[in-house]
Amino acid sequence: MSADCLIISNIDTSSDSRRKKSRTANSVRAQLRHGIDLLKKRQGDLWSIASSLREGRAMQRILGEQNSLLIEDQPRDWSVSTVINYVRAGRQVPTMTQENAGRYITWLNDITLNGVILRDYLARNDLSTEVVQTFGFESDDRINRLLQDGPACVVISTTFITLDVMLALKDVRERVARYSPHSKVVVGSSVLKWYTGNYPEIIPTILDHCDFIIDDSQGFDTLCRMVKALKRGEGVESIPNLIYRKWGRVQRTERKPEGITIDHLAPDWGRWIPQGYPGRVTIQTSQGCPFPCRFCDFRLMNRTDYKSVDVLRKELRSLKAIGVTKVDFVDDLFTLPEKRLISICQMMLEEEFNFSWYCLSRSTGLKEETIRLMADAGCTLVNIGLESADPTVLENMNKRTDVSAAYEQVERFSRYGIAVMANIILGYPGETDDSIGRTIEFLNKSTVDAYFLNLFQVGRGTDTDTAEFREEYQLKGEYVSWQHRTGSAREMAGKIGSFVSGVSDDVLRVGGLEDMQMLMNSGYTRKDMASMAAIMKGLAAWERGAPIPPQDSERSGALLSRLGELTPGNLS
C-alpha cells in the first residue's frame, strides 16, 4: 500500500557530484549567464549587475584563500570532521554509503527532528507516511520504490536556501518526475517562510524545482489539508498559505497563520525510532528568542513559545524507553528563562534519564548553582553566542551582555566539565583591528574549547537592515557584499587568516555546532580537541596557490599522520 506522503528529512549536499555542479554554477560563465538572465527580466541595470558579479567572484576568492588547508590542490570547505574522515579514508575524500558510514564522523545516519514531527503530525491526522532520512545518501533503489508507489506528495523540509540546496531540490524534482510524475513536490519550513517574505525574488527559482511552497512558519495544518485534497483529486486554491505557479505566474493563496503550540507538536518518539537507536536525537523545547540582537533573524522567524515541563518529561521518558542516550536541545536559546532551565534540569535528575546533552546559551545570565545543576543533569556542551568581546561592537549589536561576566560564565561551564563553543561574528559595524584583538584575547584567556568564525552578513528584515541603523553606521549593501564606516566585507574577509593565526594553539576552530557535536558524539574529549587544534592550525595555509609546494606537502603529511594516530578519548 502506498503512503499518502513521502517525507524527505535531509539532503546530502556534500557529495562530490553536487560539489562539481556547485562549482560549475559558480563559474564565471555561469555567473555571466545569470547576469544576462537578470537583464532580460529587467531586474537590474548592466552596471549594477556587473558590479555584483565582480564582487561575488572577489569574495569567493578571498574566502577560499582565507580558509585554505595544505591538504589538496582542489579547493574544498574543510572542517575538523572532514579532515579526520579524509585521513580515515586513506587520504582521500570518502564516498559515504549506508554500509561504510560507521567508519566516519557524519550526521548522515542521524534521525532528525523535522521528519519525526512531520510524520507524527500527519499520522495524527490519519495520513500515512514514509521517510527518506537523507536524500543522496540512502539507497536509490528504496527511494525509487517508494516513489513508484505513487504518494500524493513528496514534502521536503528545508532549513537553508543555498546554491547547494537549490541543486539538490532540482535532483529531487527530476527523480519524482521520472518515477512518480503525478506526485506533487512541496517545500516548507520556518526559515523558508522567512526567506520568501524577505527575498521574494527567489520564489520563481524555488518554484522551478517544486510545485508548492508552504508559506507559513509552521505549515502542518496546511500540509494536512493539501495532502487530503490531492488524494481526492481536488484543487488546492482554497487552502491557505500556499505559493505555486499557474499559467507561468506565481500565485498565493490567503495567508492564515496557524498558531499551533509547541506542546501540540511533541512527537511520540517510540513510534518512529527503533529500539536501541545509537545516534543523537534532537529535541525542541521552545521556539523563538526574546532578546533583540540586531543581526539575528532567528528570533523573527517564530513567536516565542515554551514547551511545558510535563510534556517534555513525557517526551524524554519515551526516548529513555527506547535506549536513547544522547540528546541535542535545538532551541534558539535553551538556558533562559533561568527558572525554567532549573525546572527542566531538576526534572531530568528526578527521572534519572542520564542523557548526555547539548544546548545553546547566551554568554551571560546564569548563576553558578544553575551551571552546576546543568552539569549534574548531563550537560556536556554549550554553544554560546559570544559574537564579540568588544564592548562597543556588542553595544552596536544590542547584545546586552558584559565581557567580564562572559569570562566568568565560560570559566564556570569549564569548571563543571561542560565544553564551550563560542560563535564569533567578524566585521559587524564598529569592528576595527582593536576590537578584533579583544575577541582574540577572549578566546586565548578564557576557557573556551572551540569557536566558529562567521563573516558578518546583512540580512534583510533584521534590525541591522533598518534605515536608521544604515544611516548611523553608513552601512551599504547586503548579505556578504557590504561596507560600513569601519570596514567592508572584502577587508574583513581578508582578516580571517590573521584572526585564526592569532588564536591559541589549543583552541579548536570548528566548522559549526554540528562539527563540534559530531566530534563529541564520536568520543573525543575536551583534551582531545585541544590536541586537534594545534594540528588543524598547522595545516592552515593563508593565500596559497595550487599546487601545494613540496615542503608544505611534506609538512602537511606529517600533521595528517599525527591526526590519524589520535584515538577518541585517548590522545597522546
Side-chain angles (χ1 to χ4, degrees):
M1 183 177 177
S2 66
D4 298 322
C5 182
L6 177 60
I7 298 167
I8 296 179
S9 299
N10 250 317
I11 298 174
D12 178 15
T13 60
S14 63
S15 64
D16 266 358
S17 62
R18 195 160 288 126
R19 276 203 196 94
K20 290 174 183 175
K21 291 179 182 178
S22 181
R23 286 196 292 271
T24 300
N26 273 316
S27 68
V28 175
R29 183 178 297 175
Q31 291 196 34
L32 285 173
R33 282 201 302 268
H34 176 62
I36 293 170
D37 287 342
L38 290 177
L39 280 173
K40 288 178 179 177
K41 296 173 182 176
R42 301 177 184 272
Q43 291 183 3
D45 59 79
L46 181 61
W47 177 254
S48 64
I49 289 172
S51 298
S52 175
L53 293 175
R54 185 174 62 251
E55 185 67 17
R57 292 291 298 174
M59 285 299 296
Q60 195 177 18
R61 175 183 58 78
I62 293 169
L63 290 171
E65 290 172 348
Q66 297 296 301
N67 290 287
S68 184
L69 294 182
L70 295 170
I71 295 180
E72 278 190 331
D73 293 332
Q74 180 64 55
R76 188 178 295 275
D77 293 327
W78 293 103
S79 65
V80 187
S81 56
T82 57
V83 174
I84 293 173
N85 289 338
Y86 176 85
V87 173
R88 290 183 180 182
R91 299 196 186 180
Q92 61 181 347
V93 177
T95 299
M96 292 193 197
T97 65
Q98 288 180 300
E99 289 72 30
N100 70 12
R103 295 163 44 194
Y104 302 109
I105 299 174
T106 179
W107 53 266
L108 291 174
N109 272 326
D110 288 350
I111 296 174
T112 50
L113 179 65
N114 57 344
V116 173
I117 287 182
L118 274 173
R119 195 171 197 185
D120 195 80
Y121 198 90
L122 290 170
R124 281 185 270 154
N125 284 270
D126 302 318
L127 292 168
S128 61
T129 59
E130 288 286 353
V131 171
V132 172
Q133 179 55 47
T134 307
F135 183 90
F137 172 70
E138 288 195 30
S139 160
D140 283 344
D141 288 342
R142 176 177 180 265
I143 295 172
N144 296 343
R145 285 197 304 271
L146 291 173
L147 287 172
Q148 287 170 339
D149 287 339
C153 77
V154 177
V155 61
I156 306 164
S157 175
T158 178
T159 42
F160 295 100
I161 300 301
T162 64
L163 176 62
D164 288 340
V165 171
M166 290 292 191
L167 292 169
L169 288 178
K170 181 175 183 290
D171 290 348
V172 173
R173 179 62 177 269
E174 290 174 350
R175 185 79 67 88
V176 173
R178 181 178 179 184
Y179 290 97
S180 186
H182 299 297
S183 299
K184 302 299 182 184
V185 178
V186 184
V187 298
S189 70
S190 60
V191 177
L192 185 56
K193 171 66 179 76
W194 171 260
Y195 273 97
T196 56
N198 289 279
Y199 300 86
E201 66 271 22
I202 71 170
I203 292 175
T205 303
I206 298 173
L207 287 175
D208 285 343
H209 308 311
C210 70
D211 298 292
F212 296 96
I213 299 170
I214 293 183
D215 190 32
D216 188 82
S217 60
Q218 295 179 326
F220 300 101
D221 284 341
T222 301
L223 179 62
C224 287
R225 292 182 61 182
M226 183 181 183
V227 175
K228 290 177 179 179
L230 292 173
K231 281 182 63 180
R232 295 190 297 263
E234 298 174 354
V236 299
E237 290 80 3
S238 63
I239 299 174
N241 307 323
L242 293 178
I243 303 175
Y244 59 100
R245 188 181 273 132
K246 186 175 182 179
W247 309 120
R249 302 187 64 177
V250 174
Q251 308 287 327
R252 290 177 179 264
T253 61
E254 180 186 5
R255 280 281 298 120
K256 280 188 178 181
E258 293 189 358
I260 303 170
T261 66
I262 193 170
D263 274 348
H264 192 60
L265 294 176
D268 177 3
W269 288 94
R271 188 174 179 182
W272 310 115
I273 289 187
Q275 187 71 33
Y277 173 68
R280 63 173 175 156
V281 168
T282 52
I283 287 187
Q284 188 175 32
T285 80
S286 68
Q287 292 177 331
C289 176
F291 288 90
C293 303
R294 288 194 173 102
F295 58 84
C296 185
D297 52 14
F298 280 8
R299 70 182 182 88
L300 303 172
M301 292 179 187
N302 293 293
R303 61 184 177 83
T304 304
D305 187 19
Y306 297 99
K307 185 175 290 181
S308 71
V309 176
D310 286 340
V311 169
L312 179 59
R313 183 195 303 269
K314 181 179 178 182
E315 205 172 344
L316 294 176
R317 280 177 177 172
S318 69
L319 289 174
K320 183 179 180 180
I322 56 178
V324 169
T325 60
K326 297 186 284 284
V327 173
D328 179 8
F329 292 113
V330 293
D331 308 36
D332 295 331
L333 178 60
F334 180 75
T335 57
L336 294 174
E338 189 174 18
K339 183 177 179 180
R340 178 176 182 269
L341 173 64
I342 291 170
S343 296
I344 291 174
C345 290
Q346 288 175 337
M347 177 269 291
M348 288 196 283
L349 287 168
E350 290 167 7
E351 295 283 343
E352 298 182 352
F353 286 134
N354 298 321
F355 296 127
S356 170
W357 54 273
Y358 316 146
C359 70
L360 277 68
S361 171
R362 278 173 68 81
S363 61
T364 60
L366 297 177
K367 301 182 184 69
E368 181 172 359
E369 54 265 33
T370 304
I371 293 173
R372 182 171 58 244
L373 185 64
M374 290 172 65
D376 290 343
C379 181
T380 54
L381 167 67
V382 291
N383 177 21
I384 63 168
L386 180 68
E387 323 310 352
S388 173
D390 180 76
T392 299
V393 173
L394 290 172
E395 183 178 352
N396 295 349
M397 291 177 171
N398 200 23
K399 275 293 293 185
R400 302 184 183 182
T401 53
D402 176 76
V403 176
S404 59
Y407 269 108
E408 185 175 22
Q409 181 156 302
V410 168
E411 191 278 329
R412 286 172 175 171
F413 280 132
S414 299
R415 187 189 313 163
Y416 291 105
I418 298 173
V420 179
M421 175 192 141
N423 284 338
I424 306 294
I425 294 176
L426 181 68
Y428 197 80
E431 189 86 275
T432 62
D433 286 343
D434 288 342
S435 68
I436 292 171
R438 279 186 272 275
T439 302
I440 293 173
E441 182 182 29
F442 184 97
L443 294 175
N444 292 342
K445 289 186 175 181
S446 71
T447 53
V448 165
D449 299 283
Y451 69 99
F452 177 42
L453 185 61
N454 303 273
L455 182 68
F456 167 57
Q457 299 179 5
V458 182
R460 289 188 201 171
T462 63
D463 291 348
T464 296
D465 189 39
T466 64
E468 295 82 3
F469 187 90
R470 283 181 174 275
E471 182 178 1
E472 181 177 357
Y473 295 95
Q474 299 172 23
L475 174 63
K476 299 177 182 178
E478 64 178 11
Y479 192 49
V480 291
S481 178
W482 48 261
Q483 60 182 25
H484 52 62
R485 195 168 58 209
T486 58
S488 68
R490 281 202 202 195
E491 292 168 351
M492 294 299 172
K495 296 178 186 295
I496 291 174
S498 59
F499 187 106
V500 175
S501 62
V503 176
S504 297
D505 288 355
D506 59 351
V507 182
L508 181 64
R509 184 189 180 191
V510 293
L513 177 58
E514 197 165 69
D515 206 21
M516 185 79 168
Q517 290 169 330
M518 289 191 297
L519 290 172
M520 296 192 70
N521 283 341
S522 298
Y524 290 105
T525 65
R526 295 171 64 200
K527 182 180 178 181
D528 300 342
M529 287 184 277
S531 299
M532 283 181 200
I535 296 173
M536 290 297 293
K537 194 170 179 181
L539 289 170
W542 318 125
E543 302 184 21
R544 75 163 173 84
I548 301 174
Q551 65 273 19
D552 285 339
S553 180
E554 182 178 346
R555 178 165 65 89
S556 67
L559 289 168
L560 290 172
S561 294
R562 280 181 57 197
L563 191 64
E565 293 166 1
L566 305 181
T567 303
N570 186 31
L571 301 188
S572 57

